[in-house]
Amino acid sequence: MARRLCLITGASAGIGAEFARQYAAFGWDLALTARRTERLEALAQELESAHGISAITIAEDLAKPEAVDAILAALEAKGRHVDALVNNAGYGLPGTFFNTSWEEQADFIRVLYTAPVELAHKVLPGMAERGYGRIINVASLAGYAAGSAGHTLYGSVKAAMIKFTESLNAECAATGQTDIHCTALCPGFTWSEFHDVNGTREDTNKMPKWMWMEAAPVVKAGIDAVNRGQPVVVPGSANKALATLTRILPESLGRAMVSAQSKRYRRMDT
């Protein structure tokens, strides 16, 4: 196939679906993966009809250790390789660290960190061989903020994703892979199903409208940044200001502010 292919995880809704729409509008073929087959197929049909591209759907649960190999095997069976990878799949795990099971926490780490890192590790050799690649890891503004009660691992995993992406982008440049770029996309509050799934929609709806962004400009910021070779991007002026504040505020004040506000977007019950 002459067209490049973008693999998007968590593609059935929200930011993932918007990545699919924007890459399809650029004329890219797509590999869409998530757990919800019906939504993936509906999105694939929509984009094939609208843009004349080819969309492959792969229903997989990234919490399963074999999921990454299954996704890549499905593409190989169709004779396709990954030119761009968008690690978007994710969710919030309500509750505290001690009132949730280890199985829940382990699945969370697998979906939000281990699987994205494994996917990057397994598609990079082919990118290097072809001399072209794009990797966007959807992190979060939470990766900059102080830790909070509830959703215990969310911020730490997103912080790790930012650092991993920075290192990966630097390694590609240092080893002469000048057209392989890796970007950590760090959105703040974005309109999607994320807060419905983790049970915080009622509380987050009370937050100021200026704190929210639509998915389309968030995704555009990520695509533009990775094409420039920018290792980290925080979309939106409000989010940029908040990210800057986390760097300049005294740590004790930052922790106090997060503690005071976290109950609005972190559930400690399950």
Side-chain angles (χ1 to χ4, degrees), residues 15-38:
I15 291 175
E18 182 59 30
F19 266 111
R21 292 188 173 97
Q22 293 197 26
Y23 268 106
F26 294 142
W28 284 59
D29 285 345
L30 303 171
L32 308 175
T33 185
R35 292 177 299 174
R36 294 178 287 191
T37 304
E38 297 81 3

Side-chain angles (χ1 to χ4, degrees), residues 3-8 17 19-25 28-32 43-44 47-48 53-57 75 80:
R3 289 190 299 266
R4 286 176 170 151
L5 181 135
C6 179
L7 168 61
I8 303 168
F19 266 111
R21 292 188 173 97
Q22 293 197 26
Y23 268 106
W28 284 59
D29 285 345
L30 303 171
L32 308 175
L43 180 61
L47 298 180
E48 286 179 334
I53 56 93
S54 174
I56 302 165
T57 61
L75 293 179
R80 303 305 304 267

Side-chain angles (χ1 to χ4, degrees), residues 9-13 15-16 34-36 60-64 87-95 100-116 138-140 142 150-158 161 192-200 265-267 270:
T9 71
S12 60
I15 291 175
R35 292 177 299 174
R36 294 178 287 191
E60 280 292 341
D61 182 356
L62 290 176
K64 298 178 179 178
N87 280 314
N88 166 75
Y91 58 97
L93 180 61
T100 50
S101 70
W102 175 244
E103 181 179 10
E104 290 173 309
Q105 296 290 349
D107 285 352
F108 179 86
I109 296 169
R110 176 78 195 167
V111 173
L112 274 79
Y113 191 71
T114 309
V138 179
S140 172
H151 298 239
T152 321
L153 289 176
Y154 190 82
S156 61
V157 165
K158 293 301 187 181
M161 186 60 75
S192 70
E193 295 180 2
F194 180 89
H195 298 284
D196 300 300
V197 173
N198 69 21
T200 58
Y265 54 89
R266 296 282 191 265
R267 281 186 57 197
T270 56

Side-chain angles (χ1 to χ4, degrees), residues 49-246:
S49 176
H51 301 289
I53 56 93
S54 174
I56 302 165
T57 61
I58 307 168
E60 280 292 341
D61 182 356
L62 290 176
K64 298 178 179 178
E66 66 275 12
V68 167
D69 284 340
I71 291 167
L72 297 179
L75 293 179
E76 185 177 0
K78 293 182 177 292
R80 303 305 304 267
H81 58 254
V82 177
D83 298 293
L85 168 65
V86 178
N87 280 314
N88 166 75
Y91 58 97
L93 180 61
T96 63
F97 195 65
F98 56 83
N99 72 9
T100 50
S101 70
W102 175 244
E103 181 179 10
E104 290 173 309
Q105 296 290 349
D107 285 352
F108 179 86
I109 296 169
R110 176 78 195 167
V111 173
L112 274 79
Y113 191 71
T114 309
V117 171
E118 183 181 357
L119 273 167
H121 190 269
K122 290 182 174 178
V123 302
L124 270 168
M127 291 178 174
E129 183 179 344
R130 294 183 295 273
Y132 179 91
R134 300 287 186 266
I135 297 177
I136 300 175
N137 292 321
V138 179
S140 172
L141 194 60
Y144 288 97
S148 65
H151 298 239
T152 321
L153 289 176
Y154 190 82
S156 61
V157 165
K158 293 301 187 181
M161 186 60 75
I162 294 169
K163 294 304 181 187
F164 164 68
T165 308
E166 288 179 317
S167 295
L168 199 58
N169 194 64
E171 285 182 7
C172 289
T175 55
Q177 299 295 337
T178 57
D179 208 10
I180 299 178
H181 302 152
C182 309
T183 295
L185 173 61
C186 303
F189 292 104
T190 305
W191 294 111
S192 70
E193 295 180 2
F194 180 89
H195 298 284
D196 300 300
V197 173
N198 69 21
T200 58
R201 172 61 62 198
E202 183 177 351
D203 291 324
T204 53
N205 280 347
K206 299 174 185 176
M207 299 175 70
K209 299 300 181 186
W210 61 265
M211 296 185 69
W212 290 87
M213 289 186 68
E214 298 289 343
V218 169
V219 167
K220 183 179 186 302
I223 295 174
D224 289 347
V226 80
N227 287 333
R228 289 193 301 267
Q230 183 177 338
V232 182
V233 62
V234 179
S237 55
N239 292 329
K240 286 182 173 65
L242 290 170
T244 300
L245 273 177
T246 64

